[in-house]
């Protein structure tokens, strides 16, 4: 049984993020999704940790979850409709699915789709010239998730008028902000030129005002010669047209997907139904490989657009596929008919492109650089490794005048990935195997300390978390699991000796969840590592498994696309008996974080399982115990207090809290421009202060020398610096903007950057490692047992 510990995607990632992948098997319209629903509910009752029947109480929760999937901000349904849904189905969903029926889901979706279609027509009317007022004193709500449902269609019309005014205004503000940033950049360049005596660079034309965005016309024939940027109104219109098209393409499989996920999440927020395409995406995410052409797609103008080309993949090697190209036809094999893609969902287009290894797919391409023509491309499908999310490392030299560089290893792990189906096979994909390889190379470089960066790591496979923890401790317990029959099972690392025994810091944030929390907690409990970062991690202390639905359906039923159920079957506990559920793993050294302003974590989710504790296990403390936590905290607090970068973060948190509490935005353009100008002035001042500090720090030489290390460069005799890598290496991936037009508010020059990518948290973590090395060099250790 492969156990998975990871955060769950929801409606937004499915409807607006279809660009990544889809399944590779043949389509089937025969699957009985009513039977799928009945089977999934039986599987939930049999396997979920709570051992609860799908009763009236859960039926009520599931109904509200399903409504929220479609109308989270309460902008489509009226109060009367919601009351009708509850009256008809609140205590009856369990009865319907017991009869293998999904009629309530279809009815609610049908009503939603009709509302969306009607609303799109009204939005189109609102976006006509002169319809919106940007001199108003009105305000719009930021979030309506807790607002009452509208009493009438007229009330919804007024809410939507404010919503569309807000969205168009936001696009207008982007243009104004782009002009402001260009002005700041020009003034800074002129000031620099005056100081150095060099001529200032030629200035570019200012961005167009919103009302000036129209096609360029030739003076002679009046024909459009160049596509100008969309107006703010056009951008908003395209956004809703695109969303309407997605919804209109929904079929029973999509409706069942949301309906069953609504039921599963009534049990707990991490149980969910995975449709066939989502199941395929999950496998790709965990195995970090896929059979295909090595490109990611998105929809644009009714065609599939190349959004990303993976270096060294088949598409890249062909030399015929480029970012921005449009795919309008797909054919199987070296010869034969090309299937036109008009009207197909992106999910189905990707299914056509995917196939078996070493088979040929033909694509009809409209090139991005010449949209007046098309070409046919033949590509042989191959296994493509998704390398940009694999474990990676850096050798960082901390430089001080008159002293030898202090060498620190930094390993970044975005997930606990692995190929659990082939875990015992030599060379199988494994986060632990990759980290071990990076760690061995770093130790050859004589590192004095190590950082394991788990920020943003939402989890992965339980077994990988256990194995990876064992790289840093002797054989011993790592985590405890308890099932729905109150049976507790300890899980052990099996390595007799750790791969690395030196000073160790684990850095986490609020997005570090599940398997990340197992690893961080174990190393903390053993006294093996200092945890640095946000106040606490996510707080997900539950274990899920993936169960194929088809396996539980009647033998001769149609279930080609029955999908899978991801269901919570266990809770996990630290070896000290504490649960990480809700509370997460508290950092030993806490740093200010932008997450402090956000509702991120298990406690903010609906219907999470409760926190509890169990018996502490017996284990031997690591030789590094006790760690000098108090000294590390006091030293760090002094630096953080004196560091303006962390003051910027705390100011951001305060501002964001105020905005969230107010929950409204002005719809007056002049007022918003004044607000944005003041905010931009603050950010510009911070950037200038940062540049001054960096220049001052570099007067005696660069404080850091960084040597990137990837799985592809492990065998190189001499590591290259990040500057050499940037100069010599091909980009890891080539991307196009999601909407094909880019964001006018940011440029490469405008983005806030830090030398070597060492931002405030990373810089402070490195200082904590330096302190740890200094404080533990001669300190006596306590290896007593914990009872």
């Amino acid at each position: 049984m492969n156990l998975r510990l990871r955060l769950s995607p929801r409606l937004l990632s499915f409807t607006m993020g279809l660009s990544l992948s889809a399944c590779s098997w043949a389509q089937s319209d025969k699957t009985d999704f009513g039977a799928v629903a009945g089977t999934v509910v039986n599987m939930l009752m049999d396997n979920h940790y709570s051992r609860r029947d799908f009763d009236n109480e859960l039926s009520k929760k599931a109904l509200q979850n399903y409504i929220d999937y479609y109308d989270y901000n309460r902008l489509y349904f009226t109060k009367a409709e919601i009351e009708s849904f509850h009256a008809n189905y609140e205590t009856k969903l369990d009865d319907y699915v017991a009869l293998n029926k999904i009629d309530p889901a279809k009815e609610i979706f049908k009503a939603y789709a009709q509302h969306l279609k009607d609303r799109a027509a009204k939005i189109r009317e609102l976006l006509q010239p002169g319809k919106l007022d940007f001199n108003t004193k009105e305000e719009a709500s930021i979030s309506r998730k807790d607002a009452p449902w509208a009493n009438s269609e007229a009330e919804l019309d007024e809410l939507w008028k404010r919503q569309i005014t807000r969205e168009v205004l936001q696009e207008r503000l982007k243009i104004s902000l782009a002009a402001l940033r260009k002005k700041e950049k020009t003034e800074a360049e002129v000031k620099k030129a005056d100081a150095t005596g060099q001529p200032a660079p030629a200035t570019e034309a200012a961005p167009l005002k919103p009302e000036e965005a129209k096609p360029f016309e030739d003076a002679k024939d009046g024909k459009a010669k160049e596509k100008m940027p969309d107006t703010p109104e056009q951008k908003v219109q395209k956004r809703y047209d695109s969303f309407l098209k997605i919804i209109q393409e929904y079929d029973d499989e999509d409706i069942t997907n949301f309906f069953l996920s609504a039921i599963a999440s009534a049990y707990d927020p991490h149980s969910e139904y995975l449709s066939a395409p989502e199941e395929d995406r999950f496998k790709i995410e965990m195995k970090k490989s896929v059979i295909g052409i090595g490109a990611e797609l998105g929809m644009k103008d009714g065609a599939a657009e190349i959004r990303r080309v993976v270096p060294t993949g088949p598409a890249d090697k062909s030399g015929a596929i480029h970012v921005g190209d449009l795919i309008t036809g797909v054919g199987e094999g070296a010869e034969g008919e090309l299937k036109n893609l008009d009207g197909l969902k992106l999910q189905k287009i990707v299914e056509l492109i995917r196939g078996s290894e070493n088979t040929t797919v033909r694509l009809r391409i409209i090139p991005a650089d010449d949209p007046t023509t098309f070409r046919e491309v033949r590509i042989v499908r191959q296994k493509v490794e998704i390398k940009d999310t694999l474990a990676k490392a850096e050798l960082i030299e901390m430089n001080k005048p008159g002293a030898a560089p202090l060498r620190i290893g930094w390993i970044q792990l975005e997930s606990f990935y692995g190929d659990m189906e082939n875990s015992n096979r030599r060379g199988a994909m494994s986060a632990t195997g990759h980290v071990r390889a990076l760690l061995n190379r770093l130790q050859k470089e004589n590192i004095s300390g190590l950082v394991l960066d788990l920020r943003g790591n939402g989890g992965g496979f339980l077994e990988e978390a256990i194995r990876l923890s064992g790289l840093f401790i002797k054989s011993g317990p790592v985590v405890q699991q308890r099932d729905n029959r109150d049976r507790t099972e300890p899980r052990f690392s099996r390595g007799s000796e750790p791969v690395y025994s030196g000073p160790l810091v684990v850095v986490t944030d609020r997005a570090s969840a599940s398997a990340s929390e197992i690893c961080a907690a174990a190393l903390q409990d053993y006294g093996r590592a200092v945890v640095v970062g946000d106040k606490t991690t996510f707080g997900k202390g539950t274990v899920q498994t993936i169960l194929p639905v088809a396996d539980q359906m009647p033998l001769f039923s149609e279930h080609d696309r029955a999908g899978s159920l991801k269901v919570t079957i266990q809770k996990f506990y630290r070896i000290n008996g504490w649960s990480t559920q809700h509370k997460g793993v508290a950092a030993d050294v806490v740093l200010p974080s932008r997450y402090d302003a956000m509702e991120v974590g298990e406690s903010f989710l609906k219907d999470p399982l409760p926190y509890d504790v169990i018996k502490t296990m017996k284990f031997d403390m690591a030789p590094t115990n006790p760690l000098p936590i108090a000294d590390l905290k006091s030293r760090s607090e002094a630096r953080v207090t004196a560091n303006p970068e962390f003051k910027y973060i705390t100011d951001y948190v305060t501002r964001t809290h105020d905005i969230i509490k107010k929950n409204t935005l002005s719809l007056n353009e002049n007022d918003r421009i004044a607000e944005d100008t003041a905010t931009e002035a603050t950010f510009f001042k911070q950037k200038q202060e940062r540049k001054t500090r960096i220049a001052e720090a570099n007067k005696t030489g660069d404080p850091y020398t960084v040597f990137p290390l990837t799985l592809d460069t492990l065998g190189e005799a001499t590591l290259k610096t990040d500057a050499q890598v940037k100069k010599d290496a091909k980009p890891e991936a080539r991307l196009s903007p999601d909407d094909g037009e880019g964001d006018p508010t940011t440029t490469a020059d405008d983005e806030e950057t830090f030398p070597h990518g060492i931002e405030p948290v990373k810089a402070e973590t490195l200082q904590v490692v330096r302190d740890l090395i200094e404080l533990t060099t001669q300190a006596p250790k306590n290896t007593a047992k914990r009872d």
Side-chain angles (χ1 to χ4, degrees):
M1 182 180 292
N2 298 332
L3 300 184
R4 178 180 185 245
L5 298 94
R6 194 166 182 82
L7 298 180
S8 305
R10 285 298 180 219
L11 175 66
L12 183 62
S13 64
F14 184 82
T15 58
M16 303 304 289
L18 288 169
S19 63
L20 290 181
S21 57
C23 54
S24 56
W25 44 75
Q27 280 287 330
S28 171
D29 297 323
K30 298 180 180 179
T31 299
D32 181 348
F33 288 106
V36 169
T39 303
V40 166
V41 169
N42 285 329
M43 293 169 68
L44 276 166
M45 293 189 292
D46 290 342
N47 295 281
H48 191 268
Y49 182 83
S50 66
R51 302 179 68 185
R52 285 191 63 179
D53 287 341
F54 184 50
D55 54 19
N56 289 347
E57 181 184 352
L58 286 177
S59 175
K60 179 179 180 179
K61 288 182 179 181
L63 177 63
Q64 190 58 55
N65 288 344
Y66 187 62
I67 293 170
D68 285 345
Y69 272 129
Y70 296 123
D71 198 6
Y72 184 74
N73 273 312
R74 306 188 174 193
L75 288 169
Y76 291 98
F77 294 122
T78 63
K79 180 181 179 182
E81 287 177 293
I82 295 300
E83 290 175 345
S84 175
F85 292 149
H86 279 276
N88 292 335
Y89 303 126
E90 187 174 273
T91 61
K92 297 178 182 177
L93 292 186
D94 49 336
D95 301 322
Y96 274 93
V97 295
L99 297 173
N100 291 348
K101 293 184 178 181
I102 58 172
D103 297 27
K106 291 182 178 181
E107 180 188 329
I108 293 170
F109 171 76
K110 183 179 179 181
Y112 169 73
Q114 185 61 50
H115 282 314
L116 189 61
K117 182 180 179 181
D118 295 342
R119 185 55 59 185
K122 291 184 177 182
I123 289 172
R124 191 172 291 107
E125 179 64 24
L126 272 176
L127 290 171
Q128 297 303 308
K131 291 286 187 177
L132 301 178
D133 180 8
F134 301 108
N135 294 315
T136 180
K137 294 299 180 183
E138 292 182 337
E139 295 181 325
S141 298
I142 297 174
S143 171
R144 284 183 39 80
K145 67 181 179 69
D146 297 318
W149 295 94
N151 289 307
S152 65
E153 192 68 22
E155 189 176 335
L156 283 175
D157 289 344
E158 180 57 32
L159 288 170
W160 270 104
K161 184 176 182 180
R162 296 187 185 195
Q163 174 69 18
I164 296 303
T165 301
R166 171 190 168 185
E167 293 187 35
V168 174
L169 177 56
Q170 189 61 44
E171 296 298 332
R172 292 168 69 96
L173 292 173
K174 285 182 180 180
I175 297 173
S176 299
L177 187 57
L180 178 61
R181 289 182 174 177
K182 189 174 290 293
K183 178 183 176 183
E184 290 173 349
K185 181 181 176 182
T186 301
E187 290 175 349
E189 288 173 343
V190 170
K191 185 177 180 181
K192 180 179 178 181
D194 290 343
T196 60
Q198 299 294 322
T203 58
E204 302 175 25
L208 295 177
K209 296 178 181 179
E211 61 271 16
E212 296 175 334
K214 57 185 180 181
F216 171 80
E217 294 184 349
D218 185 89
K220 294 180 180 180
D221 57 22
K223 294 181 180 179
K225 297 297 183 182
E226 181 180 345
K227 183 182 183 297
M228 299 299 289
D230 286 336
T231 65
E233 289 81 4
Q234 288 171 331
K235 284 190 174 184
V236 173
Q237 185 67 65
K238 283 186 175 181
R239 189 180 303 152
Y240 281 96
D241 287 346
S242 175
F243 186 64
L244 175 61
K245 188 174 186 298
I246 290 172
I247 296 300
Q248 287 177 330
E249 292 173 345
Y250 274 19
D251 53 23
D252 282 359
E253 182 174 21
D254 300 312
I255 295 169
T256 303
N257 179 17
F258 295 127
F259 182 53
L260 293 183
S261 284
I263 292 175
S265 61
Y267 279 81
D268 84 285
H270 303 292
S271 291
E272 64 176 326
Y273 171 74
L274 301 177
S275 65
E278 289 176 325
E279 185 180 15
D280 190 62
R281 285 197 291 272
F282 163 68
K283 291 177 181 178
I284 293 169
E285 179 187 356
M286 289 293 100
K287 293 183 179 181
K288 301 298 182 183
S289 66
V290 61
I291 305 298
I293 66 171
E296 291 181 3
L297 309 179
M299 292 302 291
K300 181 180 181 182
D301 300 332
E305 182 191 31
I306 302 292
R307 291 278 174 84
R308 179 174 182 266
V309 178
V310 179
T312 73
D316 187 38
K317 289 178 179 178
S318 76
I321 301 291
H322 305 91
V323 167
D325 289 351
L326 297 180
I327 303 175
T328 61
V330 178
E332 184 66 31
E335 303 292 339
E337 183 183 357
L338 286 169
K339 181 178 179 61
N340 197 304
L341 303 184
D342 288 345
L344 288 185
K345 292 193 294 184
L346 181 63
Q347 165 188 316
K348 291 181 171 61
I349 295 172
V350 178
E351 290 174 7
L352 292 173
I353 296 173
R354 291 261 176 82
S356 302
E357 192 169 7
N358 297 320
T359 60
T360 298
V361 62
R362 286 176 294 117
L363 309 176
R364 183 170 62 233
I365 298 290
I366 297 178
D369 57 358
D370 186 6
T372 65
T373 186
F374 67 87
R375 62 174 178 263
E376 186 176 308
V377 178
R378 291 176 176 81
I379 299 178
V380 177
R381 302 178 179 102
Q382 300 290 340
K383 181 178 179 180
V384 180
E385 288 192 351
I386 308 172
K387 294 184 178 181
D388 53 341
T389 57
L390 298 179
K392 56 183 71 73
E394 292 174 332
L395 172 64
I396 303 174
E397 291 184 342
M398 301 177 69
N399 304 315
K400 273 190 175 183
L406 181 66
R407 303 194 118 194
I408 304 297
W410 189 288
I411 294 178
Q412 181 182 353
L413 187 65
E414 297 184 20
S415 68
F416 287 83
Y417 54 85
D419 184 355
M420 289 295 105
E421 295 173 2
N422 302 290
S423 59
N424 295 321
R425 191 181 67 188
R426 185 178 179 85
M429 182 67 66
S430 166
T432 303
H434 290 166
V435 170
R436 179 192 295 270
L438 293 168
L439 191 51
N440 286 336
R441 178 57 195 264
L442 286 172
Q443 291 193 96
K444 289 180 180 178
E445 299 294 334
N446 297 316
I447 57 172
S448 298
L450 178 72
V451 176
L452 178 61
D453 188 349
L454 298 180
R455 289 178 294 174
N457 186 322
F461 284 120
L462 171 64
E463 188 62 33
E464 286 292 336
I466 295 169
R467 292 175 181 177
L468 195 140
S469 300
L471 299 178
F472 306 103
I473 58 175
K474 290 183 178 181
S475 177
V478 172
V479 66
Q480 304 181 74
Q481 299 170 231
R482 188 171 67 178
D483 65 16
N484 58 12
R485 299 182 185 278
D486 290 332
R487 296 175 299 195
T488 301
E489 177 189 6
R491 299 293 301 277
F492 294 82
S493 67
R494 299 300 180 186
S496 58
E497 293 293 331
V499 174
Y500 173 76
S501 302
L504 176 63
V505 167
V506 177
V507 58
T508 59
D509 61 15
R510 286 291 284 184
S512 304
S514 206
S516 293
E517 295 172 291
I518 287 176
C519 180
L523 297 177
Q524 188 180 59
D525 288 346
Y526 273 102
R528 178 65 189 90
V530 178
V531 178
V532 175
D534 291 8
K535 293 176 184 177
T536 187
T537 53
F538 190 90
K540 177 180 178 291
T542 55
V543 182
Q544 288 72 43
T545 191
I546 308 292
L547 301 175
V549 176
D551 290 353
Q552 304 299 318
M553 294 183 70
L555 182 61
F556 297 107
S557 62
E558 299 291 349
H559 47 60
D560 289 359
R561 299 179 69 82
S564 294
L565 175 66
K566 179 165 76 73
V567 57
T568 297
I569 59 169
Q570 295 174 329
K571 292 176 73 173
F572 68 77
Y573 298 82
R574 302 169 67 145
I575 53 178
N576 66 7
W578 300 352
S579 172
T580 60
Q581 183 69 2
H582 289 284
K583 294 189 177 183
V585 179
D588 299 308
V589 177
V590 176
L591 303 179
S593 169
R594 290 176 181 262
Y595 278 118
D596 294 339
M598 306 174 193
E599 294 184 350
V600 176
E602 188 80 4
S603 297
F604 294 106
L605 300 180
K606 291 177 65 176
D607 303 312
L609 296 182
Y611 171 86
D612 58 352
V613 297
I614 62 174
K615 186 178 179 181
T616 301
M617 294 190 67
K618 292 183 178 181
F619 58 95
D620 295 334
M621 299 299 291
T624 50
N625 185 70
L627 293 165
I629 302 298
D631 288 340
L632 293 173
K633 286 177 64 175
S634 62
R635 291 188 182 194
S636 179
E637 286 169 359
R639 285 190 298 266
V640 167
T641 300
N643 188 342
E645 295 291 350
F646 287 110
K647 178 64 163 58
Y648 300 160
I649 293 174
T650 55
D651 288 347
Y652 165 84
V653 170
T654 300
R655 288 195 307 272
T656 304
H657 271 150
D658 292 342
I659 292 171
I660 292 173
K661 183 178 180 180
K662 185 182 177 185
N663 196 33
T664 58
L665 286 173
S666 170
L667 297 179
N668 185 287
E669 187 167 23
N670 290 330
D671 290 348
R672 292 286 296 280
I673 288 176
E675 293 172 5
D676 284 357
T677 301
T679 301
E680 186 65 16
T682 298
F683 290 158
F684 184 75
K685 180 173 179 288
Q686 291 175 358
K687 286 197 289 187
Q688 298 308 309
E689 292 171 349
R690 179 177 298 120
K691 288 179 181 179
T692 300
R693 286 195 300 275
I694 290 172
E696 184 66 27
N698 286 338
K699 280 185 177 179
T700 56
D702 194 331
Y704 306 103
T705 307
V706 177
F707 303 88
L709 181 61
T710 69
L711 298 168
D712 291 333
T713 61
L714 282 172
E716 293 183 0
T718 304
L719 296 180
K720 296 179 180 179
T721 66
D722 52 356
Q724 292 172 318
V725 169
K726 185 176 181 180
K727 179 181 177 182
D728 300 341
K730 198 175 185 180
E732 184 66 20
R734 295 187 287 283
L735 302 169
S736 75
D738 286 348
D739 61 3
E741 297 185 26
D743 183 349
T745 66
T746 61
T747 68
D749 291 333
D750 289 332
E751 291 173 358
E752 292 188 8
T753 58
F754 298 87
H756 310 291
I758 299 180
E759 32 72 32
V761 171
K762 189 169 186 176
E764 177 55 28
T765 302
L766 288 168
Q767 293 299 327
V768 172
V769 179
R770 180 190 287 275
D771 290 343
L772 180 61
I773 294 168
E774 177 185 322
L775 291 167
T776 58
T777 301
Q778 302 296 330
K781 302 301 174 189
N782 174 15
T783 58
K785 291 188 177 183
R786 284 288 300 271
D787 294 322

